[in-house]
Every structure is written in C-alpha cells, then in structure tokens.
Amino acid sequence: MVKLMTYAGPVADDAPGTRTGGVPHTSREFEWPRCRQCAGPMQFLAQVSLADIEPGGVGLLSLFMCQNDPGLCGEWDPTAGGNRAFLFESDTAHTPVPPDDGETLLGGASAVACAELDGEDYPEAGERWHQRSDREVLGQLGGRPAWVQDDETPTCGTCGRPMAFVVQLEEGHDRRTAANFGGGCGYAFCCRPCTTAAFLFQC
Ligand SMILES: [Zn+2]
Ligand SMILES: [Zn+2]
C-alpha cells in the first residue's frame, strides 16, 4: 500500500497533526534550531503525526531546513548542519515563537489528507491518483522511499543502525507555500528507540 499525502487546502498556522508550513508544535524545552553553517534560524517545513504512519503511533516528527542562503549551507545533507529533524514523543503542546531574523516560516500552512492506494510504488501511485483527482500530491507517509538519486538512508547517530523511513515530501502546493528542494524531494527518517530523526533532500 502507498499512503499519499494530498493537498487539502489552507489551514490554521497552528493546526494539530500532519501539515506543511505554519508553526511547529514542540516540547516545552524546544529551542528554534539554527544553521551550523550560517548561524541563521532554520525554516520550519512540516510536521508529521506518527499516528498517520502506523496505528497507535505517538508523537510528531518535525522538519527544519536553512533557507537564509539557499544552496550554500549543505541543507540537502543529513549531517552538514543545514537542516534538523526532531522527534517529539508525548509533550507537543508548545508553539514556539520564531526568531525575528532569517527565513523561519513558509508562506502558508497546508492541510494534508491521506489517500491509500494499492501497490508499493509511490510515483506510480501518484500517477493513478492524478487520473481521478485534481488534488495535488504533497508526498507519501511511510512505505518505501522513491529516491531521485541513490539510496541515502541515514544511520542513527546514537545506535548506528539504519533509520526508519517516515515521510517523503514534494516541494508543495504552490510557490508561496512550497519548500525549496531544488525541484526534488525531501526524505525524513527516525530511530524510535533513540528518539533521533534525520532529514535530507535529493534533486
Ligand atoms: Zn544556513
Ligand atoms: Zn538509534
């Protein structure tokens, strides 16, 4: 089965659950991440409720990437310091105020509806979806990543094991609300036992 994320219209910036854009729901101790390359604050891209990945899943995966100097901060690389992924397990009631400087938010928040299609092949499922709906595909939840380039599944920095795939993101619905993956796709992973997460993009 392929679980497509489809565009379900604009939504409040602080809407709960899976969405792109808006402001993140985080733990109380959360500090807005800064880029290790340029020191500017990162841009919040999306949050994914783990309940949308598997039944009984708890927590939120939250994705950030530097956009202060697009292309210059290694923001496609899971370890270069130009992006951050967080796994918030239970305490996600906090909505932090973004820093005043830098590019911190997308141009709007987009609601996500799930559509389950037969098969295992995300691009093929997306084509089938477009034959019956005008609603854009924003990505896929779980399943198998469809790599633009070679498989770059990251290893967990804590336990050294390959991380579990969580979400593949398209850039977005329109120019205003889209993330910048250089025309490609973003990929996020987590290691549940270690509460670690990683993000990268390929184009
Ligand atoms: Zn940067
Ligand atoms: Zn681990």
Side-chain angles (χ1 to χ4, degrees), residues 63 145-149 165 167-169 181 185-189 198-202:
L63 305 174
W147 296 103
V148 175
Q149 310 283 347
F165 175 62
V167 66
Q168 176 166 356
L169 290 173
F181 302 143
C185 284
Y187 305 83
F189 299 79
F199 176 77
L200 63 100
F201 77 78
Q202 292 187 343

Side-chain angles (χ1 to χ4, degrees), residues 155-163 190-196:
T155 49
C156 172
T158 304
C159 71
R161 291 198 194 95
M163 298 178 95
C190 75
C191 180
R192 286 291 184 77
C194 301
T195 328
T196 53

Side-chain angles (χ1 to χ4, degrees), residues 127-175:
E127 279 171 31
R128 260 188 292 141
W129 172 256
H130 281 306
Q131 286 165 12
R132 67 180 209 216
S133 173
D134 295 335
R135 241 165 47 205
E136 287 123 298
V137 173
L138 297 182
Q140 67 164 335
L141 295 161
R144 281 204 315 235
W147 296 103
V148 175
Q149 310 283 347
D150 293 338
D151 185 337
E152 279 190 274
T153 301
T155 49
C156 172
T158 304
C159 71
R161 291 198 194 95
M163 298 178 95
F165 175 62
V166 177
V167 66
Q168 176 166 356
L169 290 173
E170 304 294 337
E171 289 189 311
H173 157 67
D174 60 14
R175 221 183 143 70

Side-chain angles (χ1 to χ4, degrees), residues 39-56:
M42 291 187 190
Q43 183 179 56
F44 172 64
L45 301 179
Q47 65 182 22
V48 174
S49 169
L50 296 188
D52 290 339
I53 304 295
E54 59 187 24

